């Protein structure tokens, strides 16, 4: 596609529910990142994929967070047993390069846990 | 990654030039300086990137002094639509999987 697409755009979950957030990167992009952005803060790194390999997951806040990119294209961020502190915007970014700052971000999924 | 410091907020008026200075005292030899712009309900958008001296594109200019310990993003003749949060990032763009480290950004409000 022309840009990075994320779905759903908004998600309301009851505390304890599992959620799955989807990212469709730009076709052919090698690198894919997930970020978490709390209200009024800058985005914070969660995890990084190079093709299907998850090379860095140091930013995942707990073992309730899990990300996958099985075929090296679409990625899913899953949060199990959601808590109120998980409420945030989850951003996905992709790049055609392994390094560099030419990343394209999606518009994010706003997750609200009630 | 080098840490950055930038003002929390700035106000300006339409037609004025806006200059946002970012401090990065611990910048490393291989580090580049990159600025992103973020509008409400959108993801960050790349504006400009540089290593030293001056870089200009159709959107902005980036001024980097010789010691590279700071940089200034210059937005010429801003309009209301330039109201956004601007982030300064520093890092080695050649490193595979180099994760972007965002600070708090500078909230720019352009008034009529």
């Amino acid at each position: 596609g022309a840009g990075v697409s994320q779905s759903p755009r908004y998600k309301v979950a009851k505390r304890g529910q599992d959620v799955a957030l989807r990212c469709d990167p730009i076709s052919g992009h090698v690198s894919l990142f997930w970020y978490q952005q709390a209200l009024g803060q800058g985005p914070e790194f969660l995890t990084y994929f190079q093709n299907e390999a998850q090379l860095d997951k140091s930013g995942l806040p707990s073992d309730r967070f899990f990300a996958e990119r099985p075929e090296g294209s679409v990625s899913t961020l899953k949060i199990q047993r959601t808590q109120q502190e998980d409420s945030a915007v989850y951003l996905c970014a992709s790049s055609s390069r392994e390094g560099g700052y030419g990343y394209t971000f999606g518009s994010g999924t706003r997750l609200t846990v009630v | 990654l080098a840490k950055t410091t930038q003002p929390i907020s700035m106000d300006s008026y339409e037609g004025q030039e806006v200059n946002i200075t970012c401090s990065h005292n611990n910048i490393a030899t291989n580090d580049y300086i990159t600025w992103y712009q973020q509008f409400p309900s959108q993801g960050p958008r790349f504006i400009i990137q540089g290593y030293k001296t001056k870089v200009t594109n159709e959107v902005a200019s980036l001024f980097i002094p010789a010691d590279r310990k700071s940089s200034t993003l210059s937005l010429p003749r801003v309009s209301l639509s330039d109201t956004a949060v601007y982030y300064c990032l520093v890092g080695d763009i050649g490193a595979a999987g180099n994760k972007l480290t965002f600070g708090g950004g500078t909230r720019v409000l352009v008034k009529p």
Side-chain angles (χ1 to χ4, degrees), chain A residues 9-10 33 35 37 40-43 45 48 50 56 58 91 97-103 105-107 110, chain B residues 32 34 36 38 41-44 46 49 87 89-91 93-100 102-104 107:
Chain A
R9 196 75 174 84
Y10 302 94
F33 293 76
Y35 281 80
Q37 186 171 26
Q41 310 278 329
F45 169 80
Y48 163 69
Q50 184 176 312
D56 188 344
S58 61
L91 295 162
R97 299 168 58 183
E98 294 181 359
Y101 277 165
Y103 298 120
F105 281 83
S107 295
R110 180 177 295 278
Chain B
Y32 278 67
T34 310
Y36 275 77
Q38 187 176 27
S41 301
Q42 293 187 26
F46 172 90
Q49 182 177 81
Y87 295 96
L89 296 92
V90 174
I93 64 172
N98 188 11
K99 54 197 177 195
L100 303 183
F102 290 81
R107 298 182 176 278

Side-chain angles (χ1 to χ4, degrees), chain A residues 3-6 23 90-94 104-109, chain B residues 41-44:
Chain A
V4 177
S5 178
Q6 293 188 245
C23 172
Y90 291 86
L91 295 162
C92 176
S94 72
T104 302
F105 281 83
S107 295
T109 294
Chain B
S41 301
Q42 293 187 26

Side-chain angles (χ1 to χ4, degrees), chain B residues 25-91:
Chain B
N25 292 318
N26 298 323
I27 190 168
T29 303
N30 293 336
D31 287 346
Y32 278 67
I33 299 149
T34 310
W35 286 80
Y36 275 77
Q37 174 192 54
Q38 187 176 27
F39 298 115
S41 301
Q42 293 187 26
R45 181 177 75 105
F46 172 90
I47 302 176
I48 198 166
Q49 182 177 81
Y51 184 80
K52 62 180 179 181
T53 62
K54 177 184 174 182
V55 180
T56 297
N57 61 22
E58 65 278 6
V59 177
S61 293
L62 179 60
F63 298 92
I64 306 168
D67 66 5
R68 304 202 324 123
K69 292 184 182 300
S70 67
S71 59
T72 299
L73 175 72
S74 180
L75 306 171
R77 298 179 300 282
V78 294
S79 64
L80 296 178
S81 63
D82 292 316
T83 293
V85 178
Y86 293 82
Y87 295 96
C88 165
L89 296 92
V90 174

